Amino acid sequence: MKLQQLRYVCEVARHNLNLSTAAEALFTSQPGVSREVRNLEEELGVDIFVRHGKRVVSVTEPGQAILEIAGRVLGDIENLKQVGQDFTQRDKGELTIATTHTYARYVLPQVLQRFSQQYPAVRVSLRQGSPDQSWDVVKSGEADIAVSTEPTKAPDHVVMLPCCGCERAVLVPHGHPLLKVKKLTVEAIAAYPIITYDSTFGGQSKFYRAFAEKGLEPNVVLTAIDSDVIKTYVELGMGVGIVAKVAYDRKRDTGLRSLDASKLFAASTTYIGIRANNYLRGYTYDFIEMFAPHLTRAAVDDAMRTNGHRAPSRRAVAAQSGR
Amino acid sequence: MKLQQLRYVCEVARHNLNLSTAAEALFTSQPGVSREVRNLEEELGVDIFVRHGKRVVSVTEPGQAILEIAGRVLGDIENLKQVGQDFTQRDKGELTIATTHTYARYVLPQVLQRFSQQYPAVRVSLRQGSPDQSWDVVKSGEADIAVSTEPTKAPDHVVMLPCCGCERAVLVPHGHPLLKVKKLTVEAIAAYPIITYDSTFGGQSKFYRAFAEKGLEPNVVLTAIDSDVIKTYVELGMGVGIVAKVAYDRKRDTGLRSLDASKLFAASTTYIGIRANNYLRGYTYDFIEMFAPHLTRAAVDDAMRTNGHRAPSRRAVAAQSGR
DNA sequence: CACCGTTACGGTATCCGTAAGGATT
DNA sequence: AATCCTTACGGATACCGTAACGGTG
């Protein structure tokens, strides 16, 4: 069995079971892919792909299991390379962060500024999307870490590290009646049209629950995935905005006022997400600690260890002694 | 990078960093091992082993990480082979169970009898030891599953599936005064010398706690790891035995009487343990379900999925496209 | 007919074992 | 002096790309 074969098989699966395009993506010849796939199938004794005549049409049942394991192996090979990089080019590399607009725009800038100062040679990329998308991107290994609220569905293979609460604020234009209210209540808010995050975003259940508890139904007139968009429409007088508290900056948002709503809506939690069994570069640990000081390297390792890692297997090693 | 290299490196680590014996174990030449280890080190850019002149003396820090990952890869390669076996030789293979004397002797026989009837071509081996040992053996991959009470230290990389309670009984010889007691109490037991399991066995904390709660200290005169040994000494009149309820068989143990102690000592739980990310043969699932009917294949998979598995990584695959 | 996967073949690079050479204990 | 790792060398193997072939839609 060769790593090449695992690579080929995974690549074929990723390219709609098309050997030719897979070969192209692998910068190799198409007959070579065909041959190695067959060699692997022969060695394992089972077909991975279902062929109709001379066309690959689907994945067999054992093929599913094989692809999953093969993918894990390739991920680990990548991890090995990362270990090398980590010790030779300590301060150089890439860091891909999957996050939402709110974090990318209002929380991460300060952290990333500090980070880039310390690690000027690390190329940081942000992958912006909904919380669910962020978690998926981490799960698939496209991003190193997620910074987001919790996903709607619990993501397997990903370790979630709670960071801090993410409180809400109510944004209104100048002179809005809500500014005169002595004590802000859910009832008071419910009287106005509401602009808030799209339902693909986390923490919305808590938002609706707060209204439901009072027997109210919020009149949500507009949703967006973007705090800035919400602010724009609030400024236009289309409604009151309910956004993350951090999204309001008194100096910048001169057309708006912010009212603390942390007591009204249960705070959702900010998490950092890491793919299980992923080797993290030293600077990634540092980034995490900059973001959430309590998440030291030891704390992160500990959380990962109790979730995904696995130790070497004596038996597996012994079983392969014969070449 | 080649799988061979990973195998070599792991084997060297397992053989006290001795290349020669590692080479022997791998059925290859010693210079070959030396060369491939260096090749891998060169490819990754870091030393895995520390050399004093021409002697390998220890593992470097990156080496530690590399060995861990390499071991995981080799385990997965083994998993791939298991997939093949599972679909070609469905009913043939091996099943290694790590367990304690009590389970091996009193619980598993009935299950294994049924199992062997259904899978005559599966070679079952029992690896007997303390609970901690059982878990370690599963963790290392030497055994497929553990059947045991909980370990003293939580084992990472292992999925624990609760099966059922494991209640205690008090064993006494015929004519023992305890047989005349109306309601068995901890106090009554404390009046006699006690024979029970060795402290390396689980559930002992619950045993001592029951006494401590009454301000008593049990007079443990003898400990053993083996219910049969305990029974022998009880029969000799050396004390009262406190053992797992299942270890008493009225028909066989004619010289003894059993008193239910399930109310006196908190029941410890029986667990099945599986190594995270281990591919399980079909018959292994069947064995588990025979042992604990509620642990269906779906239930087991689900528990494993939320603990260890990992999906293929697009990024890792893409990063390796260039050969 | 265009696309796609398999088979056949030959050159090349890689791999591995043998033999000899320094270091360390 | 014995053990252990490294270097050097040569032969066999296996790998991979090119070219031609056979199905499929």
Side-chain angles (χ1 to χ4, degrees):
Chain A
M1 196 176 330
K2 293 174 303 173
L3 288 173
Q4 200 90 300
Q5 295 171 333
L6 304 184
R7 253 172 246 143
Y8 284 11
V9 164
C10 282
E11 202 66 12
V12 169
R14 288 190 52 224
H15 284 77
N16 296 318
L17 309 175
N18 183 321
L19 293 210
S20 307
T21 59
E24 201 172 344
L26 289 159
F27 301 105
T28 186
S29 72
Q30 180 269 326
V33 175
S34 174
R35 183 181 26 210
E36 290 309 320
V37 170
R38 290 209 104 98
N39 282 348
L40 180 61
E41 289 180 322
E42 192 180 353
E43 179 170 356
L44 295 179
V46 291
D47 280 4
I48 298 170
F49 300 113
V50 178
R51 295 160 174 86
H52 267 187
K54 293 211 169 180
R55 230 146 264 223
V56 178
V57 292
S58 62
V59 179
T60 64
E61 193 190 336
Q64 309 257 349
I66 290 167
L67 285 171
E68 182 180 333
I69 299 170
R72 199 161 57 208
V73 169
L74 296 179
D76 272 332
I77 299 303
E78 182 59 18
N79 281 339
L80 284 174
K81 293 179 180 167
Q82 291 294 323
V83 175
Q85 301 276 321
D86 204 24
F87 283 82
T88 50
Q89 320 227 37
R90 182 181 288 278
D91 299 342
K92 198 174 167 189
E94 297 191 23
L95 175 62
T96 305
I97 304 168
T99 188
T100 60
H101 169 82
T102 303
Y103 291 104
R105 172 84 174 71
Y106 298 104
V107 184
L108 293 181
Q110 312 142 49
V111 183
L112 284 176
Q113 191 175 28
R114 268 184 67 201
F115 180 82
S116 288
Q117 218 158 348
Q118 189 170 343
Y119 294 104
V122 173
R123 262 188 43 197
V124 178
S125 11
L126 294 177
R127 297 265 324 226
Q128 204 171 309
S130 71
D132 280 355
Q133 285 170 338
S134 300
W135 293 101
D136 283 345
V137 162
V138 165
K139 181 178 161 179
S140 76
E142 288 168 89
D144 299 293
I145 61 177
V147 177
S148 174
T149 50
E150 50 209 311
T152 53
K153 49 175 180 27
D156 300 335
H157 320 295
V158 172
V159 181
M160 288 173 65
L161 308 166
C163 295
C164 52
C166 173
E167 297 173 337
R168 302 278 142 171
V170 175
L171 302 185
V172 294
H174 285 299
H176 192 278
L178 273 181
L179 289 169
K180 305 226 172 71
V181 172
K182 279 184 186 165
K183 187 165 181 264
L184 190 64
T185 60
V186 174
E187 286 90 340
I189 297 170
Y192 301 93
I194 289 171
I195 304 173
T196 188
Y197 297 116
D198 194 82
S199 65
T200 61
F201 274 61
Q204 292 314 88
S205 58
K206 286 165 181 165
F207 167 78
Y208 283 104
R209 198 184 311 137
F211 284 91
E213 274 170 7
K214 310 278 181 178
L216 300 167
E217 195 172 340
N219 172 28
V220 178
V221 292
L222 189 68
T223 63
I225 59 169
D226 182 325
S227 310
D228 286 331
V229 171
I230 294 172
K231 290 196 284 193
T232 305
Y233 287 95
V234 171
E235 217 162 333
L236 290 174
M238 286 186 57
V240 304
I242 298 182
V243 298
K245 212 169 169 180
V246 292
Y248 177 77
D249 180 346
R250 196 162 185 174
K251 289 181 191 156
R252 292 181 97 95
D253 299 322
T254 50
L256 295 172
R257 297 291 301 275
S258 171
L259 300 164
D260 176 39
S262 55
K263 303 283 187 302
L264 302 183
F265 308 112
S268 55
T269 308
T270 301
Y271 289 91
I272 282 200
I274 309 165
R275 195 163 87 133
N277 280 327
N278 226 18
Y279 181 83
L280 301 183
R281 297 291 301 267
Y283 56 72
T284 306
Y285 285 104
D286 277 354
F287 172 85
I288 293 171
E289 195 169 347
M290 284 184 194
F291 184 83
H294 71 283
L295 291 179
T296 59
R297 183 170 187 141
V300 173
D301 278 343
D302 201 56
M304 285 191 82
R305 210 161 287 279
T306 56
N307 262 298
H309 265 291
R310 212 181 66 195
S313 148
R314 294 182 153 254
R315 188 223 244 165
V317 173
Q320 291 173 15
S321 298
R323 104 179 94 106
Chain B
M1 196 178 327
K2 294 175 302 175
L3 287 173
Q4 200 90 303
Q5 296 171 332
L6 303 184
R7 251 172 250 143
Y8 285 11
V9 163
C10 283
E11 203 65 11
V12 169
R14 286 190 54 223
H15 285 76
N16 296 319
L17 310 176
N18 184 320
L19 293 210
S20 308
T21 59
E24 202 173 342
L26 288 160
F27 302 105
T28 185
S29 72
Q30 179 269 326
V33 175
S34 175
R35 183 178 15 182
E36 289 310 320
V37 170
R38 291 208 101 97
N39 281 347
L40 180 60
E41 290 180 321
E42 194 180 354
E43 178 169 356
L44 295 179
V46 291
D47 280 4
I48 297 170
F49 299 113
V50 179
R51 294 161 175 87
H52 268 187
K54 291 209 169 181
R55 231 148 262 228
V56 178
V57 291
S58 62
V59 179
T60 64
E61 192 190 336
Q64 308 256 350
I66 289 167
L67 285 171
E68 181 180 334
I69 299 169
R72 199 161 57 210
V73 169
L74 296 179
D76 271 332
I77 298 303
E78 182 60 18
N79 281 339
L80 284 173
K81 292 179 181 168
Q82 291 294 323
V83 175
Q85 300 276 320
D86 205 23
F87 283 83
T88 50
Q89 319 228 39
R90 180 181 291 275
D91 299 342
K92 198 174 166 188
E94 296 190 23
L95 176 61
T96 305
I97 305 169
T99 188
T100 61
H101 169 82
T102 303
Y103 290 104
R105 171 83 173 73
Y106 297 105
V107 183
L108 293 180
Q110 312 142 49
V111 182
L112 284 176
Q113 189 175 30
R114 268 184 68 202
F115 180 81
S116 287
Q117 217 159 348
Q118 190 170 341
Y119 295 103
V122 173
R123 262 188 43 197
V124 179
S125 10
L126 294 178
R127 295 266 324 227
Q128 205 171 307
S130 70
D132 279 356
Q133 285 170 339
S134 300
W135 292 101
D136 283 345
V137 161
V138 165
K139 181 178 161 180
S140 75
E142 288 169 89
D144 300 293
I145 61 176
V147 177
S148 174
T149 50
E150 48 209 313
T152 53
K153 48 176 182 24
D156 300 336
H157 321 294
V158 172
V159 181
M160 288 172 65
L161 308 165
C163 294
C164 53
C166 173
E167 297 174 337
R168 301 278 142 170
V170 175
L171 301 186
V172 294
H174 285 301
H176 192 278
L178 274 181
L179 289 167
K180 305 222 171 74
V181 171
K182 279 185 185 165
K183 190 168 181 258
L184 190 65
T185 61
V186 174
E187 286 89 342
I189 296 170
Y192 300 94
I194 290 171
I195 304 173
T196 188
Y197 297 116
D198 194 84
S199 66
T200 59
F201 274 59
Q204 292 313 87
S205 58
K206 285 165 181 165
F207 167 76
Y208 283 103
R209 199 184 311 136
F211 284 91
E213 275 170 6
K214 309 279 182 178
L216 301 168
E217 194 173 340
N219 172 27
V220 178
V221 292
L222 189 70
T223 63
I225 60 170
D226 180 324
S227 310
D228 286 330
V229 172
I230 294 172
K231 289 196 286 193
T232 304
Y233 286 95
V234 171
E235 216 162 334
L236 290 175
M238 286 186 58
V240 304
I242 298 183
V243 298
K245 210 168 170 178
V246 291
Y248 176 77
D249 181 344
R250 194 163 186 173
K251 288 181 193 157
R252 291 181 98 95
D253 300 323
T254 49
L256 295 171
R257 297 290 302 275
S258 171
L259 300 164
D260 176 40
S262 56
K263 303 284 187 301
L264 303 183
F265 309 110
S268 55
T269 308
T270 302
Y271 288 92
I272 284 199
I274 309 165
R275 194 162 86 133
N277 281 327
N278 227 17
Y279 181 82
L280 299 183
R281 297 289 303 266
Y283 55 73
T284 306
Y285 285 104
D286 277 354
F287 172 85
I288 292 171
E289 194 167 348
M290 284 184 193
F291 183 83
H294 70 284
L295 291 178
T296 59
R297 182 169 188 141
V300 173
D301 277 343
D302 202 55
M304 285 192 82
R305 210 160 285 282
T306 55
N307 262 298
H309 265 292
R310 214 180 67 196
S313 147
R314 295 182 151 253
R315 188 224 245 167
V317 173
Q320 294 172 13
S321 297
R323 112 176 88 104

